[in-house]
Amino acid sequence: MSVYQSDTFTDTDGTLLSAHGGWTLDGGSTGDLKIVSNVVTANGINTAGVYTANTAPGGNSHLVKGDLMATDASSKSQLYGQCTGMGANWYRLYGSVFLDWVLEKSVSGTVTSIGSYSGPMNVNQFYAIQMELRGGVSQKVTIDGTLRISTTDTA
């Protein structure tokens, strides 16, 4: 698979992700995120920012990588793949201190859980996430190098 978007988020602390370049804040989001110490973080309480890459990927098979962390006991960290907008189609993996890891999909705005892994996040610990999304045929999620979710959802 080709790399179509890569970012180390190297910028001045406090820079809003929308001003950083390469990313567009989705209209369904409740707020902008900011960069602190080369990490994207919430810009206030109850901030949910979803971004799409400004570079469109080719094909319908994608490998999405990112590091997720819960900053406190009420945090919920999420990584999206194949996102065409919040009201449309996407895959999302989320985890939190108080919930399992859950893989969901949205088709025309209808959200369905398609897989999960029992193992909550620890506060202030990074988790290396990899989502392998194979053209609506198979989806695999690796957490810290170990395959945790594998599904053949094709709907």
Side-chain angles (χ1 to χ4, degrees), residues 73-119:
S74 63
S75 295
K76 182 165 111 174
S77 296
Q78 306 173 80
L79 185 64
Y80 284 80
Q82 295 182 340
C83 184
T84 60
M86 288 312 297
N89 305 319
W90 45 257
Y91 288 94
R92 168 177 65 191
L93 176 73
Y94 68 84
S96 73
V97 174
F98 53 90
L99 294 170
D100 294 338
W101 293 90
V102 177
L103 179 63
E104 295 179 327
K105 71 171 184 177
S106 174
V107 176
S108 300
T110 300
V111 179
T112 307
S113 176
I114 59 172
S116 65
Y117 163 67
S118 181

Side-chain angles (χ1 to χ4, degrees), residues 112-134:
T112 307
S113 176
I114 59 172
S116 65
Y117 163 67
S118 181
M121 301 175 80
N122 294 317
V123 174
N124 294 324
Q125 177 181 335
F126 279 104
Y127 294 86
I129 306 299
Q130 180 171 299
M131 291 193 306
E132 184 179 316
L133 308 171
R134 296 279 179 187

Side-chain angles (χ1 to χ4, degrees), residues 5 17 21 26 35 41 69 74 88 90 103 114-115 117-118 130 140-141 144:
Q5 182 80 359
L17 190 55
D26 186 89
I35 297 172
T41 186
M69 176 179 70
S74 63
W90 45 257
L103 179 63
I114 59 172
Y117 163 67
S118 181
Q130 180 171 299
K140 295 180 181 179
V141 174
D144 287 335

